Amino acid sequence: MSQTPTTSNTKLAERGDLATVLGVDTAGEEDVTWTNLAGRVEPRPDPTFASRGATIRDDLGDRLDPDLLERERERIADEIGRLPDVRAAGVPDEPEGLYTEVAEPGWRLYDHLLEVGFFERLDETLPRFTAEHVETTARELVLTEPLSSALDDVGFDEGEKTALLSAVANDSERLSRWVPSNQIPDDVEFDTSTIPPLHQRAMGGALLWIRGLDRHLWQNEVLVTEEILDDAAWYVKAMLGGLFVSATAAHDLATAERFTDEQLTAALTAGTAVQIVSQEELLHAVFYITDEMRAPSELR
Amino acid sequence: MALRNDRAVQAARDIELVEIEDGYTLVGGPEESITQQHDSDRIPEVDVDQEMLSNSGEDPESWLMYGGNYEQHRVTTADLITPDTVSDLELEYELSVGTGSSMEGTPIVVPGDPPVMYQTNGPNHMKAIDPREGEVLWSYTYAVPMGVELCCDDNNRGAAVWGDKVYMTTLDSGVVALNRYTGEEEWYTSTADHEVGYSATWAPVIHDGTIYTGSAGGEYGVLGFEAAIDAESGEIQWQTDTLPEDEWVGASREHGCGTTWMTPTIDEERGVLYTAVANPGPDFDGTVRPGPNFPTCGTIALDLESGEFQWGFQSSPHDVWDYDAVAPRVLLRDVDVDDGPSEMVVGSDKTGWVYMMDAESGQLHERSQEICQHINMWEMIPHISADERIPFVPGAPGGNDWQPPSYNPETGYVYVVHQNFPQDLYWRYEEYSEGNPYWGGGLDDPASEMPDEWNESITAFAAVDPATGERVWRDWIESEDEFYMWGGSMSTATGLVFNGTQNGNLVAYDGESGDRLWEHEFDVPISASPMSWYDPGEEKQYVAVQVGGSGWLRQGTRGDTLAVFSMGA
C-alpha cells in the first residue's frame, strides 16, 4: 500500500531538481522516478567514495554481528509492512504502544551499532554533507540496484523510493547543518564533548521521534487531523526506510555480500540523510501544530 | 522608617549587576550575609503550620505562598474590594525598599496582630515588614558569591514560610532559611554548583515540612532538576533530573538544560507537583540534540514523596526559539465540562497559547485560541541560510514568559499575560576557520523588519475559559517605550483582576468583561505580581505590588517601591 506524503517530497519541481542534480535531462517529463533515472544516470566514479568504503569495511567488518543485523533488518522491514495497520488505528489509545513497537527493532539495531563503535567510526571516516558529497551519494544510490530492489521488497513503491532519493539529493544545504561531532570546533557556545556522532544523532533522533509519536498524538488528540496522521505514517515509513538502508549497508559490511565500496559509502550516507530530512519534515507536519493545521475545536 | 543605617540594605546597594558577554554577573557584595534588626519583637511568635498553608487560599487574612495557594490561583477571598467599590481604592503608603534592583517578587503575609509581610527583591534581599504602616522589622541580604552567571537579572520573586522560619532561594542555586522572628540565618543548602551556571530566582514552596525548589541556568548548558529539601534541617530529600535518559541521544542530555525556574504547583490530593520545564540546550542548534528533547518546553508531574516522574507534556518539542514553558502551572478542580477531565493543569506558555491538561494524565483537554499573534511561527527548521532572517511572533520572551497567571473562581476564567513583539532569530553558519566563530545563534530585539501583519501592540492581557479554551476578552497594550509587560496578575473572589503594566499602571479589571474599573499610575514600570490580604485589626483590605523595571529585555526604568493600597470596611 502506497502512503503518499501530503507534505509531498515528490512534487514535479522537486523531481525536476532531483534530475538536475543527477545530470539527467527530463524536460517535459512527468515520470521522473528512481527506476527511470537509474537507466539514464551516468556513472561518475569517485575514488574517495571507494577508499572511504574500504576503510569502513576494514575497521568495522569484523565487529558487527551479521545475524543480529539480518534479524533486525528483517524486523524493520516487517514494521514498515505493518504501518498501514498502524495508520488505520488512528490516534494511539495510550502514550506508549503503536509507534513504540514500530521503533523497537530500530532500537536494537542502534544499540548494536553503538556498542561496536559504528557511529564514531563513520564520523571519523565520512566527510561532512556538502553539495558535492550529496550529489555523488545520490548518483551512487540510484545506481545501486541491490538497494533499489531491497526497498521494493519491503514495500516502497516507485513514488516513495523517489521521495527518499529526493530527500538525499535535494537537501544538501539542510544536511550541511548537521555536522559530524568531531568537526565541531571547541569555540562554539556549547560544550562539544557531549555531542554524539552525527550518524548516531540521525538514527537515535529518528527513533526518538517515532517512539514519541504515541505520546504526542495521544496527548494532542484534540488537535490531530487525518492529514496529520497520514503525514505521521509517511514520515515514519521514510525514517524506517532510512534505517533499513543503514541496516542493509551495515549487514553488507559484515558479510561483504553485494555492495561495492562506493555503494557502501553511498548507502551509509544516504541512510543517514533520509533519517535527518524525514525527522525534520515530521517535526513540521506532525509536531508543530499551528491553528491553521489543527482540528477545529469541538468545544467552541 | 529610615533605611540609611540599615547594613543589610546598604550591602544590597553595594552589589552591582554587571553585564557580561552572555548575561550578567554581580560584583561588590558583602563577604558574609547580613541581618539588620529594627523592631523584630513586634512579630507575633505563631508558627506557620500545615493547616494554615493548606487553607491559605481560603483565608482572606493570609497570603502564605507565592501563588496564594498550592494550586497557584493567586486569588484572595477578601471581599471588601469589589467591582462596585474598587473606584474607592486608595494608596495607603509607598515604602522605598532601598535597593533599587530587580523588583519581580510577590510579598507574602502571615496573619496576626500585626500581620507580618515578608518581601524580597534583587539581589537576594529580604525584609520583614509590618504592613499596616510599612515599617521594616528586620532586613537581610544574602552574600551572593562573586562570579554567578545570570541570564536575565538579579531576580528574586518571593519567600516561603513554615514554622518559625522563612526561606528564600539564592542566586548561587541555593536555599537559605532564616528565623522569621529575628531574620537570622539558620541554614543554607546548595542544590547545584553555580560555577557551572546554575542559579535560583523563584519563590520556593513548602508542603508537609518539605521545600520544593527547581533549577535555572538554561542558557549555560546545565542539566535541569527539581529538588525536595527538609525544611527543618536543610537536608536534600530527593533531586530528580528533568530529562529522562531514554529520551535523549547519548550524552546530549548532559547539557540538555530543561530547567524548572518558577515555583512548582502542589496537588495535595494526588501527592504530586506540577512544574514548567524550560528550553533545551544548546538553545539554537537543534542538530546536536535530535529528537523531541522531552520534556523540555513543557510541563511535568512529579511525586511529592519520591520525585518520581508521572507525566510530561510539551508545547514546543525540539525547540530552537527559546519557547521555554516557565509560567507557574495553575491547578483547577471541578471545571465544568461535558465530557472529559474536570481537574486540569493550565499552562500558559511562550508559544502564545494556553494549554488545559488533564491533571491525572497530562492529556490535552483543549488548547486556547491564540492569545498573542502568531507570525512565522515555528519557521526556521531546517536552518535557513546564513543571511536570511525571519521576524517571528511570539518572540523569544513569548507569549507568556514567567509572569504568573491567576484564576478567578467568580468568573471561572484564567488570566494571562502574553508578549506580542517581533524578533529575529538567526543562525550564523560558515565554514570553520581557526580562531573564527563557527556557528551559533543570535536574537535580535526588535526584528530588523517588522512584519506587516503585526498589530503594533507589545502585550496582550487576556481572559481564557479553561472549559473551552475560548479567549473571552483581550486587552491589547501598547508601550511608547516598547517595554515588555513583565509581571503577573491577581484575582479577587469578588470578580476583579489586578495587573500591573509596563507603562506603570496598576489596573483593576472587571474579570467578566475586561473593562478597566480602576487604575493607579506609577512613574516606572511594574514587573511584579500583586497580592492582597484582609487585616481584621484595621478592618481593611490591602493590595500590595512591587514597582520597578526588571527583566531580561526592555526592562524599563528601575524602581524600589513597595506600594500598598487599602480599602476600609
Side-chain angles (χ1 to χ4, degrees), chain A residues 284-296:
Chain A
H284 272 292
V286 178
F287 279 81
Y288 290 157
I289 304 175
T290 61
D291 277 351
E292 292 72 29
M293 287 166 61
R294 66 160 291 178

Side-chain angles (χ1 to χ4, degrees), chain B residues 90-101:
Chain B
E90 291 183 340
L91 184 67
E92 178 89 17
Y93 59 84
E94 287 181 303
L95 168 67
S96 167
V97 299
T99 57
S101 200

Side-chain angles (χ1 to χ4, degrees), chain B residues 490-505:
Chain B
M490 174 200 83
S491 286
T492 73
T494 60
L496 292 166
V497 184
F498 283 82
N499 203 43
T501 77
Q502 64 269 57
N503 303 316
N505 299 311

Side-chain angles (χ1 to χ4, degrees), chain A residues 222-241:
Chain A
V222 295
L223 307 179
V224 169
T225 61
E226 291 298 309
E227 189 174 325
I228 288 170
L229 290 170
D230 286 343
D231 283 341
W234 159 246
Y235 288 117
V236 168
K237 184 171 185 175
M239 284 187 279
L240 289 181

Side-chain angles (χ1 to χ4, degrees), chain B residues 37 61 124 161 313 406 461:
Chain B
Q37 295 181 342
E61 299 175 33
N124 276 143
V161 280
F313 175 91
S406 66
F461 182 56

